[in-house]
Amino acid sequence: MNDLFKKNLELTKKRLRESVKFDTLLVQAINNIDELNKATNLLAKRLREWFELYNPEFSKDVPDNEKFAELVTRKQDKKEKGSMGAELPENDLRQMRSLAAELNNLYKLKENETSYVEELMQKNCPNMEKVAGALIGAKLIEIAGSLERLAKMAASTVQMLGAEKALFRHIKTGAKAPKYGVIFAHPFISEAKIDRGKRARALADKISVAAKVDFFKGEFAADRLLLELKKKFGG
Amino acid sequence: MNDLFKKNLELTKKRLRESVKFDTLLVQAINNIDELNKATNLLAKRLREWFELYNPEFSKDVPDNEKFAELVTRKQDKKEKGSMGAELPENDLRQMRSLAAELNNLYKLKENETSYVEELMQKNCPNMEKVAGALIGAKLIEIAGSLERLAKMAASTVQMLGAEKALFRHIKTGAKAPKYGVIFAHPFISEAKIDRGKRARALADKISVAAKVDFFKGEFAADRLLLELKKKFGG
């Protein structure tokens, strides 16, 4: 290898190394949480179907999957009298408990990843974190592709991020236009009884400003933004 | 509640309890293994994509997912010099290692479940277990719905179990007819260079006999069945 080539290669490697910014890690973490959601849903369904052979009444009594998995791990062979479930040898029950224990670990890992996302957001996007919330903010960055791209988007685009399918359906078939994408999960919208469309537009405006402030490292503005929202809609 | 109703209810519950036979548990376990396969594949893909930000060369060097997850857990920050991956803070690496550790647990759980299936088969279907192998035998029972239904099927049906899609495609579009379903995974077929169709028919014949012997609790016949196969095809 001649010197120029070597230098060039080093430079390219350096640039690649430096291209890993916080939002790359954030996108990974958000994707992980999504996959963990899928995996826990799959396995929770399996655990229920399996455990119902033994104790169907108990499964019905505990609709929450996380709670259910936790209780199965702890539950030692105490079954309601007159249960419709079959008596099963200890060996079979042990298998179910192993699956439940593993499921608990996966839920814990998901919590862990969620805290990690919160940390990343707090450190790198304090304004977004406060205005949109860590998970919604992270999800917006993930869909946009990077904080930079999100910061350069129009507020009306931010409002619709995550509603692409419904938007295309609207354009192609004339179905009702969506009013919001992932920001719907924000309590400011989801907990409102009326004016959800208006609230979505206002919130998207503020998130859009927050993203710009975070990207261009402006002064902390989240409190003011939230106050303006509050003034406009009360509560 | 009057007495008759009460008695009737008790009887129904009793029948339900007794309807859980070994093959019900087997089907659950086989389904679990399938779901664990899906979950581990999802998460292994995630782990690779994530870890490749840090050390892309290492991911390429270890194509096996299980091995990869294990090594990531153990690997402490030792990266090849001149790697294209980014330097990452310890906190980020710790997140990756948690995911890898969890993945290892899932692989272990899968192994565990596989042993459980082997035990169930050895105890309840010793002939199938020997002729078809524990996992193939269990899968056949799962597709058939129960050992009883499998035992009552024609050998030619057993040969095709698991190839339903290809079979329908053959009937509807005239595509090539499949020669085997899940029994293809048996080394007697998959490791053969020629005569796979003939071998599939012969193996399905023997598995079909084995299923009948297991269901009707006949005398152990697996050794004789395997010997007959060996005689016919050599090896």
Side-chain angles (χ1 to χ4, degrees):
Chain A
M1 274 197 291
N2 68 39
D3 269 8
L4 184 66
F5 179 78
K6 232 178 186 166
K7 242 184 193 156
N8 212 325
L9 184 69
E10 273 317 304
L11 197 67
T12 308
K13 279 186 180 177
K14 188 163 173 287
R15 282 211 186 119
L16 268 170
R17 270 196 297 271
E18 284 166 1
S19 71
V20 175
K21 301 235 177 60
F22 100 93
D23 35 12
T24 317
L25 291 168
L26 190 74
V27 168
Q28 292 290 334
I30 280 287
N31 287 338
N32 280 353
I33 294 174
D34 284 349
E35 296 293 9
L36 285 171
N37 267 332
K38 270 187 227 160
T40 48
N41 284 341
L42 284 177
L43 296 178
K45 227 191 262 174
R46 296 289 330 129
L47 180 64
R48 276 186 191 275
E49 203 182 309
W50 203 9
F51 195 77
E52 280 168 11
L53 296 175
Y54 172 63
N55 191 342
E57 297 83 1
F58 179 67
S59 174
K60 300 249 149 40
D61 286 348
V62 189
D64 180 69
N65 283 341
E66 196 169 344
K67 188 94 195 143
F68 178 70
E70 201 204 313
L71 288 174
V72 168
T73 345
R74 277 200 274 144
K75 208 172 164 67
Q76 298 301 324
D77 227 338
K78 270 183 226 140
K79 197 154 64 155
E80 295 81 356
K81 249 187 97 72
S83 164
M84 278 193 280
E87 287 310 320
L88 292 178
E90 179 53 30
N91 185 29
D92 299 289
L93 294 175
R94 203 165 33 233
Q95 294 293 327
M96 296 180 192
R97 284 195 213 106
S98 305
L99 179 60
E102 195 46 43
L103 198 49
N104 283 332
N105 287 342
L106 285 171
Y107 282 120
K108 254 175 239 138
L109 183 63
K110 203 174 76 179
E111 259 172 52
N112 209 315
E113 294 263 341
T114 308
S115 313
Y116 172 64
V117 165
E118 283 163 2
E119 272 169 48
L120 280 175
M121 288 295 289
Q122 239 146 31
K123 205 174 140 196
N124 298 283
C125 303
N127 289 282
M128 288 262 286
E129 198 268 338
K130 186 109 194 212
V131 178
L135 282 182
I136 296 178
K139 193 82 200 162
L140 289 172
I141 295 176
E142 192 240 307
I143 301 174
S146 68
L147 175 59
E148 178 169 6
R149 287 170 72 175
L150 185 68
K152 292 175 177 169
M153 275 177 181
S156 58
T157 310
V158 174
Q159 186 181 341
M160 295 301 172
L161 283 181
E164 289 74 12
K165 262 193 200 164
L167 203 58
F168 280 117
R169 208 181 313 125
H170 163 63
I171 295 169
K172 277 173 76 176
T173 71
K176 241 173 109 184
K179 291 184 193 138
Y180 22 66
V182 295
I183 63 166
F184 175 71
H186 198 292
F188 179 70
I189 303 176
S190 57
E191 285 173 11
K193 298 265 183 301
I194 49 161
D195 284 344
R196 284 180 167 181
K198 269 186 206 163
R199 278 170 177 257
R201 205 171 62 201
L203 181 63
D205 267 348
K206 302 304 178 195
I207 292 177
S208 191
V209 174
K212 286 173 184 43
V213 178
D214 284 331
F215 179 66
F216 293 107
K217 310 269 179 222
E219 224 166 286
F220 187 74
D223 290 333
R224 178 179 52 82
L225 294 169
L226 284 174
L227 199 68
E228 287 168 5
L229 270 187
K230 213 173 167 181
K231 265 191 198 155
K232 196 165 173 182
F233 290 89
Chain B
M1 274 197 291
N2 67 41
D3 269 8
L4 184 67
F5 180 78
K6 233 176 183 169
K7 242 183 194 158
N8 213 327
L9 185 69
E10 273 317 303
L11 197 69
T12 309
K13 280 186 178 176
K14 187 163 173 285
R15 282 210 187 118
L16 268 171
R17 271 197 296 272
E18 284 167 1
S19 71
V20 175
K21 301 235 176 60
F22 100 93
D23 35 11
T24 316
L25 292 168
L26 190 74
V27 168
Q28 292 289 334
I30 280 288
N31 287 338
N32 280 353
I33 294 175
D34 284 349
E35 296 293 9
L36 285 171
N37 267 332
K38 271 188 227 161
T40 48
N41 284 341
L42 284 176
L43 297 178
K45 226 191 262 176
R46 296 287 332 127
L47 180 64
R48 276 187 190 276
E49 203 182 309
W50 204 9
F51 195 78
E52 278 168 14
L53 296 174
Y54 172 64
N55 191 343
E57 297 83 0
F58 178 68
S59 174
K60 300 246 149 41
D61 285 349
V62 188
D64 179 69
N65 283 342
E66 196 169 344
K67 188 96 197 141
F68 179 70
E70 200 204 313
L71 288 173
V72 168
T73 345
R74 277 199 274 144
K75 208 172 165 67
Q76 297 301 325
D77 228 336
K78 272 182 223 139
K79 197 155 64 157
E80 295 81 355
K81 250 188 94 74
S83 164
M84 277 192 280
E87 287 309 320
L88 293 178
E90 179 53 27
N91 186 28
D92 299 288
L93 293 175
R94 203 165 35 232
Q95 294 293 328
M96 295 181 193
R97 283 194 213 107
S98 305
L99 180 59
E102 196 44 45
L103 199 48
N104 284 332
N105 287 342
L106 285 172
Y107 282 121
K108 254 176 239 138
L109 183 62
K110 203 173 74 178
E111 259 171 51
N112 209 316
E113 293 262 341
T114 308
S115 314
Y116 171 63
V117 165
E118 282 163 2
E119 272 170 47
L120 279 176
M121 287 296 287
Q122 239 147 30
K123 205 174 138 196
N124 298 283
C125 304
N127 289 281
M128 288 262 287
E129 198 269 337
K130 186 109 196 213
V131 177
L135 281 183
I136 296 178
K139 194 83 199 158
L140 289 173
I141 293 176
E142 192 240 306
I143 302 173
S146 67
L147 175 59
E148 178 170 5
R149 286 169 73 174
L150 184 69
K152 292 176 178 170
M153 275 177 179
S156 57
T157 309
V158 174
Q159 185 181 341
M160 294 303 173
L161 284 180
E164 289 73 12
K165 262 193 201 165
L167 202 59
F168 280 116
R169 209 182 311 122
H170 163 64
I171 294 168
K172 276 173 75 175
T173 71
K176 239 173 108 184
K179 290 184 193 138
Y180 22 65
V182 294
I183 63 167
F184 176 71
H186 197 293
F188 179 72
I189 303 177
S190 58
E191 285 174 10
K193 297 265 182 304
I194 49 161
D195 285 341
R196 284 180 166 182
K198 268 186 207 164
R199 278 170 177 258
R201 206 171 60 199
L203 181 63
D205 267 347
K206 302 305 180 196
I207 292 178
S208 191
V209 174
K212 285 173 184 45
V213 177
D214 284 332
F215 179 67
F216 293 107
K217 311 271 179 218
E219 224 165 284
F220 188 73
D223 290 333
R224 177 178 53 82
L225 294 169
L226 284 175
L227 199 69
E228 287 168 5
L229 269 186
K230 212 173 168 181
K231 265 190 196 156
K232 194 163 173 185
F233 289 90

